[in-house]
Amino acid sequence: SHLLHALVPRTIAARLGAGEVAIADMYPEATVLFIYPSSTVDMLLGYGVAATVQWLAKVFRTLDECLSQVGPSAVKVEQYSKFYLAAIGIGSTPNASTTNQASLGVDLALLMVQRLSEVLRPDGMPTSVQVGLSQGPVCAGVV
C-alpha cells in the first residue's frame, strides 16, 4: 500500500485499491509541466553518485513542495532520474478553466525555477532547470 502510494497519485492508488484493473482517462484540457535539472551528467561525473543523488533528492523534494502549494488540481505524474513531470487539470478538480490552468502552470514553473535556484549543486552553484509547458487534451492511464 505504501509503495503504491509512492508510485502513483493518490486518486489512482485509490482506484487500483478498489479493484480497477485498466485505468485510462481522457482530459479535454490540461497543462503539463516538464522539468529537467541541468548539468546532472556533469555533476555525476565530477562529484560522484552519492553527491549527485543527494542533490537530486533535494531538487525533487523542492519540486514536490512547490507542487503542493498549487492545490489538488496539480499532481506529480512522474519523477525519474533527471526528469519531473507534473500536470494541472487532471487532479481532483479537472474542470478548472483553461486560462486558469495555464496561469497556474506558468506561476508554478516560475516558483520552481526560483526555489531551485536556492538549492546548491554539488559544485556549489545554484540549480538551474529547463522547463517546458504544454496545454491541450491529455490521455492518461496506468498499465
Side-chain angles (χ1 to χ4, degrees):
S1 173
H2 293 291
L3 178 60
L4 182 61
H5 283 80
L7 295 174
V8 297
R10 265 182 254 138
T11 56
I12 299 299
R15 290 169 65 183
L16 289 170
E20 271 189 74
V21 178
I23 296 176
D25 297 322
M26 182 67 185
Y27 300 93
E29 287 295 327
T31 299
V32 179
L33 284 81
F34 309 86
I35 300 99
Y36 300 91
S38 302
S39 305
T40 54
V41 173
D42 293 339
M43 294 303 106
L44 183 61
L45 294 174
Y47 297 91
V49 173
T52 303
V53 168
Q54 289 175 355
W55 165 59
L56 286 172
K58 289 178 191 173
V59 166
F60 291 134
R61 272 195 310 272
T62 301
L63 293 171
D64 286 343
E65 290 166 7
C66 292
L67 192 64
S68 71
Q69 293 180 19
V70 174
S73 67
V75 295
K76 177 169 71 173
V77 177
E78 182 80 35
Q79 168 191 322
Y80 178 76
S81 181
K82 58 180 183 174
F83 173 77
Y84 190 95
L85 177 66
I88 298 170
I90 67 168
S92 61
T93 56
N95 296 323
S97 74
T98 301
T99 304
N100 189 41
Q101 287 178 11
S103 179
L104 282 173
V106 170
D107 289 346
L108 177 58
L110 291 171
L111 176 64
M112 289 174 163
V113 169
Q114 176 193 18
R115 291 282 313 281
L116 286 173
S117 72
E118 300 166 4
V119 175
L120 299 181
R121 301 183 323 195
D123 64 0
M125 299 296 293
T127 297
S128 61
V129 291
Q130 296 171 325
V131 178
L133 289 164
S134 181
Q135 186 170 33
V138 171
C139 180
V142 176
V143 179

